[in-house]
Amino acid sequence: VKARVRGPKFSEHYNQATLFWNSMSPVEQQHIIEALSFELGKVDDNGIQTRMVEQLNMVDNKLAVMVARSLSIEEPKEIRPNHGKRSDYLSMLGPHNRFTASGRKLGVYVLDEFDYMAVTGLKAALVPMGVIVMIVGPRKNLVKSGSKTMETQFTFETCRSTHFDAVFFAGGAGDDYLKQMSRNGRLLHAAREAFMHYKTVAAEGNAVEWLRKFALPGEIDALAGQVVSDGVVAQQGIVLAGSSITDVAVLIKSLTDEMAKHRAWGRDVSAVPA
């Protein structure tokens, strides 16, 4: 009697998981450890936690040990050596991935009396490059700047920074604009949340001072101190432009270069309350 049966490889459940683990970048490995720790941290049955760590130990001992530490349970001994194989095609940060700004969403946060010329120039340059620019304002449909208006796609209440790959905070007219920004909890949270998620965070004009002093106190002081009125500085996904910038192309390049990196993985976010 002939029978269609599976080969011995179908009984092996761990080699591919180990290959995947080995192929991750250090950032991705840490993310996996934190995700497993988070999910198992919500489990109250110690037996389930222990058995899950035992399964992780079959994949990689380092992975199992790190998760066990987060749960305060016994760290397992290595019982299955890691085969050491990896692939360049499995990691999102691998050499075969080429990130660009095209297709990414930029949330532009504005209040009434925002810098109309800066925002319109930003949109005019980014949209043809494939960047999806979404305006976030205090109300739906229209936000005002002098005699001009701009259409909004979101309000501060109807979106989170998680809607976007990057966020941009526009400056505006005078101290009153800065005061409004500093008293708006939604704006503060959007900046902090995007920063904590390693996303590109940009600001221009007096929004730079707001970002430095109110939204991210102590996080970008050194970089903000380098900003001149007509210049742009960028570092670790933070892009800051002066209030009298003359060469918008420099701002666009700095912004799209940072967005194309996907995330600023070298950023320290440990002290950000978001």
Side-chain angles (χ1 to χ4, degrees):
V1 178
K2 291 184 178 181
R4 179 175 293 177
V5 296
R6 289 179 171 177
K9 283 188 176 181
F10 282 91
S11 299
E12 202 296 306
H13 304 298
Y14 302 106
N15 279 340
Q16 284 192 351
T18 302
L19 174 69
F20 182 82
W21 169 256
N22 292 345
S23 302
M24 296 297 100
S25 65
V27 166
E28 291 167 316
Q29 287 186 339
Q30 184 60 35
H31 196 173
I32 290 170
I33 291 169
E34 291 175 358
L36 287 165
S37 300
F38 173 82
E39 297 298 345
L40 289 173
K42 297 171 76 69
V43 175
D44 294 326
D45 190 321
N46 187 255
I48 293 175
Q49 294 175 333
T50 300
R51 289 192 293 274
M52 280 299 301
V53 169
E54 289 173 353
Q55 291 297 308
L56 294 174
N57 197 36
M58 297 294 288
V59 176
D60 180 76
N61 179 249
K62 174 192 170 185
L63 168 61
V65 167
M66 297 302 291
V67 175
R69 287 177 184 174
S70 75
L71 301 171
S72 300
I73 64 177
E74 184 178 356
E75 297 176 15
K77 303 295 184 183
E78 185 177 63
I79 59 175
R80 182 177 180 274
N82 187 311
H83 56 58
K85 297 177 182 178
R86 65 185 310 278
S87 170
D88 287 338
Y89 292 91
L90 295 177
S91 170
M92 289 182 63
L93 303 179
H96 298 286
N97 280 334
R98 294 291 182 268
F99 293 125
T100 69
S102 179
R104 300 192 185 276
K105 285 186 178 181
L106 174 68
V108 179
Y109 288 75
V110 299
L111 290 165
D112 286 324
E113 305 310 322
F114 66 98
D115 187 340
Y116 185 85
M117 294 300 295
V119 176
T120 52
L122 196 72
K123 286 185 66 176
L126 292 177
V127 171
M129 297 173 67
V131 177
I132 303 167
V133 180
M134 313 292 281
I135 306 298
V136 186
R139 69 190 71 84
K140 180 70 173 177
N141 292 326
L142 292 179
V143 63
K144 302 174 183 177
S145 181
S147 61
K148 299 179 175 64
T149 60
M150 183 172 289
E151 183 179 359
T152 61
Q153 285 73 52
F154 293 102
T155 71
F156 304 142
E157 296 294 332
T158 60
C159 80
R160 292 272 297 272
S161 72
T162 47
H163 280 72
F164 311 115
D165 298 290
V167 293
F168 181 95
F169 297 93
D175 293 339
D176 186 57
Y177 190 90
L178 184 60
K179 183 178 179 180
Q180 287 186 65
M181 293 188 77
S182 67
R183 298 294 299 170
N184 192 307
R186 295 299 188 193
L187 289 182
L188 293 168
H189 184 262
R192 291 169 183 168
E193 184 178 56
F195 184 87
M196 190 171 184
H197 289 167
Y198 305 97
K199 295 180 180 180
T200 297
V201 179
E204 66 88 21
N206 53 4
V208 172
E209 176 66 7
W210 167 82
L211 193 66
R212 182 195 69 81
K213 186 176 180 181
F214 297 101
L216 299 171
E219 299 294 337
I220 62 168
D221 289 357
L223 186 64
Q226 301 174 28
V227 179
V228 294
S229 62
D230 61 348
V232 179
V233 294
Q235 186 179 71
Q236 282 295 336
I238 302 297
V239 181
L240 307 176
S243 57
S244 303
I245 182 170
T246 54
D247 191 351
V248 179
V250 177
L251 171 59
I252 298 302
K253 185 178 188 311
S254 297
L255 185 57
T256 53
D257 283 352
E258 294 300 322
M259 289 177 66
K261 296 174 184 176
H262 183 55
R263 292 288 194 275
W265 295 119
R267 180 186 296 165
D268 180 10
V269 300
S270 57
V272 178

